[in-house]
Amino acid sequence: MQLKVNGVVHDVQVPDDMPVLWVLRDVLGLTGAKYGCGIAQCGACTVHVDGQAMRSCILPAASAAGKAIVTIEGLGPGLTAVQRAWIDVDVVQCGYCQPGQIMSAAALLRERPNPSDADIDRAMSGNICRCGTYPRIREAIHRAAALMKGGS
Ligand code: FES
C-alpha cells in the first residue's frame, strides 16, 4: 500500500492491520512517535492524520492509506512556533512523551490559535506525562500562541 508521510509517498509492504506506529518506526525509520501504552491511552504515539491528532499505535495502516500523515519529524519546515516555545519554556524532562505532546499541541493551535486554559486541558488530557510537565506544557502552548501572533 502507499502511505504519505511528511509529504512523501512511500510504497510499504505491510499487513493492512499493522499499526501506523510500527510502519513509521520499523519500516520508515521515523522514531519520533513513541510506543507508550499500545492502547491509545497515553498519547506518546500521536501523529497528525489529515490534520487531526491521532493515536498511531491503534491506527491500522490500511485506514491511513491515501491520507496525509505528519510526524514530529515533518512538523516544520524548521522549528515551528510550538517547538520554539517548548525550548523557551524548557518543558522537557525525560522527553519520552514530548513528541506526542507537541503533536497534540500543534493540532490544538491549528484549531484554536488562542486557546484558553480549559481548551488546553481538554485538548491535552489524552497525553500523559509521567514526569509531570503539565504546567510547563500549558505555559508553552500559550507562548506558542503568542509567537504565532507575532508576539514574543
Ligand atoms: Fe518524561 Fe513527559 S517528560 S514522560
Side-chain angles (χ1 to χ4, degrees), residues 86 91 98 101 124 129 133-141:
W86 244 245
V91 170
Q98 298 294 335
Q101 304 279 4
M124 303 301 291
C129 175
T133 63
Y134 303 111
R136 294 201 297 272
I137 287 171
R138 185 193 272 184
E139 184 185 344
I141 291 172

Side-chain angles (χ1 to χ4, degrees), residues 91-98 101 128-133 136-137:
V91 170
V92 175
Q93 194 160 321
C94 83
Y96 196 83
C97 73
Q98 298 294 335
Q101 304 279 4
I128 305 296
C129 175
R130 67 172 299 177
C131 298
T133 63
R136 294 201 297 272
I137 287 171

Side-chain angles (χ1 to χ4, degrees), residues 28-69:
L28 301 179
L30 295 168
T31 55
K34 298 292 187 278
Y35 177 77
C37 65
I39 53 172
Q41 296 296 302
C42 80
C45 65
T46 303
V47 300
H48 295 174
V49 179
D50 283 349
Q52 301 292 312
M54 309 254 321
R55 307 296 187 243
S56 62
C57 73
I58 59 157
L59 183 66
S63 70
K67 297 179 179 169
I69 302 168

Side-chain angles (χ1 to χ4, degrees), residues 19-35 96:
V20 166
L21 181 62
W22 300 147
V23 183
L24 294 173
R25 292 182 58 86
D26 295 346
V27 179
L28 301 179
L30 295 168
T31 55
K34 298 292 187 278
Y35 177 77
Y96 196 83

